[in-house]
mmCIF file with all atom_site columns, all heavy atoms in Angstrom:
data_model
loop_
_atom_site.group_PDB
_atom_site.id
_atom_site.type_symbol
_atom_site.label_atom_id
_atom_site.label_alt_id
_atom_site.label_comp_id
_atom_site.label_asym_id
_atom_site.label_entity_id
_atom_site.label_seq_id
_atom_site.pdbx_PDB_ins_code
_atom_site.Cartn_x
_atom_site.Cartn_y
_atom_site.Cartn_z
_atom_site.occupancy
_atom_site.B_iso_or_equiv
_atom_site.pdbx_formal_charge
_atom_site.auth_seq_id
_atom_site.auth_comp_id
_atom_site.auth_asym_id
_atom_site.auth_atom_id
_atom_site.pdbx_PDB_model_num
ATOM 1  N N   . MET A 1 1 ? 124.472 82.364 61.910 1.00 0.00 ? 1 MET A N   1
ATOM 2  C CA  . MET A 1 1 ? 125.052 83.422 61.099 1.00 0.00 ? 1 MET A CA  1
ATOM 3  C C   . MET A 1 1 ? 125.840 82.765 59.973 1.00 0.00 ? 1 MET A C   1
ATOM 4  O O   . MET A 1 1 ? 126.807 82.052 60.215 1.00 0.00 ? 1 MET A O   1
ATOM 5  C CB  . MET A 1 1 ? 125.949 84.291 61.976 1.00 0.00 ? 1 MET A CB  1
ATOM 6  C CG  . MET A 1 1 ? 126.665 85.359 61.204 1.00 0.00 ? 1 MET A CG  1
ATOM 7  S SD  . MET A 1 1 ? 127.552 86.527 62.226 1.00 0.00 ? 1 MET A SD  1
ATOM 8  C CE  . MET A 1 1 ? 128.924 85.584 62.770 1.00 0.00 ? 1 MET A CE  1
ATOM 9  N N   . PRO A 1 2 ? 125.421 82.972 58.752 1.00 0.00 ? 2 PRO A N   1
ATOM 10 C CA  . PRO A 1 2 ? 126.153 82.375 57.630 1.00 0.00 ? 2 PRO A CA  1
ATOM 11 C C   . PRO A 1 2 ? 127.501 83.066 57.417 1.00 0.00 ? 2 PRO A C   1
ATOM 12 O O   . PRO A 1 2 ? 127.644 84.268 57.641 1.00 0.00 ? 2 PRO A O   1
ATOM 13 C CB  . PRO A 1 2 ? 125.230 82.598 56.442 1.00 0.00 ? 2 PRO A CB  1
ATOM 14 C CG  . PRO A 1 2 ? 124.396 83.771 56.823 1.00 0.00 ? 2 PRO A CG  1
ATOM 15 C CD  . PRO A 1 2 ? 124.254 83.727 58.319 1.00 0.00 ? 2 PRO A CD  1
ATOM 16 N N   . LEU A 1 3 ? 128.460 82.289 56.976 1.00 0.00 ? 3 LEU A N   1
ATOM 17 C CA  . LEU A 1 3 ? 129.778 82.839 56.676 1.00 0.00 ? 3 LEU A CA  1
ATOM 18 C C   . LEU A 1 3 ? 129.798 83.368 55.257 1.00 0.00 ? 3 LEU A C   1
ATOM 19 O O   . LEU A 1 3 ? 129.218 82.769 54.356 1.00 0.00 ? 3 LEU A O   1
ATOM 20 C CB  . LEU A 1 3 ? 130.853 81.765 56.830 1.00 0.00 ? 3 LEU A CB  1
ATOM 21 C CG  . LEU A 1 3 ? 131.031 81.202 58.229 1.00 0.00 ? 3 LEU A CG  1
ATOM 22 C CD1 . LEU A 1 3 ? 132.044 80.075 58.203 1.00 0.00 ? 3 LEU A CD1 1
ATOM 23 C CD2 . LEU A 1 3 ? 131.489 82.280 59.177 1.00 0.00 ? 3 LEU A CD2 1
ATOM 24 N N   . LYS A 1 4 ? 130.469 84.475 55.061 1.00 0.00 ? 4 LYS A N   1
ATOM 25 C CA  . LYS A 1 4 ? 130.624 85.056 53.731 1.00 0.00 ? 4 LYS A CA  1
ATOM 26 C C   . LYS A 1 4 ? 132.107 85.125 53.418 1.00 0.00 ? 4 LYS A C   1
ATOM 27 O O   . LYS A 1 4 ? 132.912 85.518 54.262 1.00 0.00 ? 4 LYS A O   1
ATOM 28 C CB  . LYS A 1 4 ? 130.036 86.467 53.675 1.00 0.00 ? 4 LYS A CB  1
ATOM 29 C CG  . LYS A 1 4 ? 128.550 86.521 53.892 1.00 0.00 ? 4 LYS A CG  1
ATOM 30 C CD  . LYS A 1 4 ? 128.059 87.953 53.831 1.00 0.00 ? 4 LYS A CD  1
ATOM 31 C CE  . LYS A 1 4 ? 126.578 88.027 54.123 1.00 0.00 ? 4 LYS A CE  1
ATOM 32 N NZ  . LYS A 1 4 ? 126.099 89.410 54.139 1.00 0.00 ? 4 LYS A NZ  1
ATOM 33 N N   . THR A 1 5 ? 132.453 84.749 52.217 1.00 0.00 ? 5 THR A N   1
ATOM 34 C CA  . THR A 1 5 ? 133.852 84.861 51.822 1.00 0.00 ? 5 THR A CA  1
ATOM 35 C C   . THR A 1 5 ? 134.137 86.291 51.394 1.00 0.00 ? 5 THR A C   1
ATOM 36 O O   . THR A 1 5 ? 133.264 86.999 50.894 1.00 0.00 ? 5 THR A O   1
ATOM 37 C CB  . THR A 1 5 ? 134.178 83.907 50.669 1.00 0.00 ? 5 THR A CB  1
ATOM 38 O OG1 . THR A 1 5 ? 133.317 84.202 49.569 1.00 0.00 ? 5 THR A OG1 1
ATOM 39 C CG2 . THR A 1 5 ? 133.990 82.461 51.081 1.00 0.00 ? 5 THR A CG2 1
ATOM 40 N N   . VAL A 1 6 ? 135.363 86.709 51.613 1.00 0.00 ? 6 VAL A N   1
ATOM 41 C CA  . VAL A 1 6 ? 135.776 88.069 51.278 1.00 0.00 ? 6 VAL A CA  1
ATOM 42 C C   . VAL A 1 6 ? 136.892 87.971 50.256 1.00 0.00 ? 6 VAL A C   1
ATOM 43 O O   . VAL A 1 6 ? 137.835 87.195 50.418 1.00 0.00 ? 6 VAL A O   1
ATOM 44 C CB  . VAL A 1 6 ? 136.269 88.816 52.536 1.00 0.00 ? 6 VAL A CB  1
ATOM 45 C CG1 . VAL A 1 6 ? 136.797 90.184 52.181 1.00 0.00 ? 6 VAL A CG1 1
ATOM 46 C CG2 . VAL A 1 6 ? 135.157 88.913 53.564 1.00 0.00 ? 6 VAL A CG2 1
ATOM 47 N N   . ASP A 1 7 ? 136.786 88.762 49.205 1.00 0.00 ? 7 ASP A N   1
ATOM 48 C CA  . ASP A 1 7 ? 137.819 88.791 48.179 1.00 0.00 ? 7 ASP A CA  1
ATOM 49 C C   . ASP A 1 7 ? 138.999 89.602 48.718 1.00 0.00 ? 7 ASP A C   1
ATOM 50 O O   . ASP A 1 7 ? 138.976 90.829 48.720 1.00 0.00 ? 7 ASP A O   1
ATOM 51 C CB  . ASP A 1 7 ? 137.264 89.405 46.894 1.00 0.00 ? 7 ASP A CB  1
ATOM 52 C CG  . ASP A 1 7 ? 138.262 89.369 45.752 1.00 0.00 ? 7 ASP A CG  1
ATOM 53 O OD1 . ASP A 1 7 ? 139.326 88.738 45.921 1.00 0.00 ? 7 ASP A OD1 1
ATOM 54 O OD2 . ASP A 1 7 ? 137.971 89.971 44.705 1.00 0.00 ? 7 ASP A OD2 1
ATOM 55 N N   . VAL A 1 8 ? 140.006 88.891 49.176 1.00 0.00 ? 8 VAL A N   1
ATOM 56 C CA  . VAL A 1 8 ? 141.166 89.534 49.793 1.00 0.00 ? 8 VAL A CA  1
ATOM 57 C C   . VAL A 1 8 ? 141.920 90.380 48.772 1.00 0.00 ? 8 VAL A C   1
ATOM 58 O O   . VAL A 1 8 ? 142.440 91.449 49.106 1.00 0.00 ? 8 VAL A O   1
ATOM 59 C CB  . VAL A 1 8 ? 142.079 88.471 50.429 1.00 0.00 ? 8 VAL A CB  1
ATOM 60 C CG1 . VAL A 1 8 ? 143.313 89.101 51.027 1.00 0.00 ? 8 VAL A CG1 1
ATOM 61 C CG2 . VAL A 1 8 ? 141.323 87.688 51.486 1.00 0.00 ? 8 VAL A CG2 1
#
Side-chain angles (χ1 to χ4, degrees):
M1 176 172 73
L3 297 175
K4 296 180 183 177
T5 58
V6 176
D7 184 8
V8 178

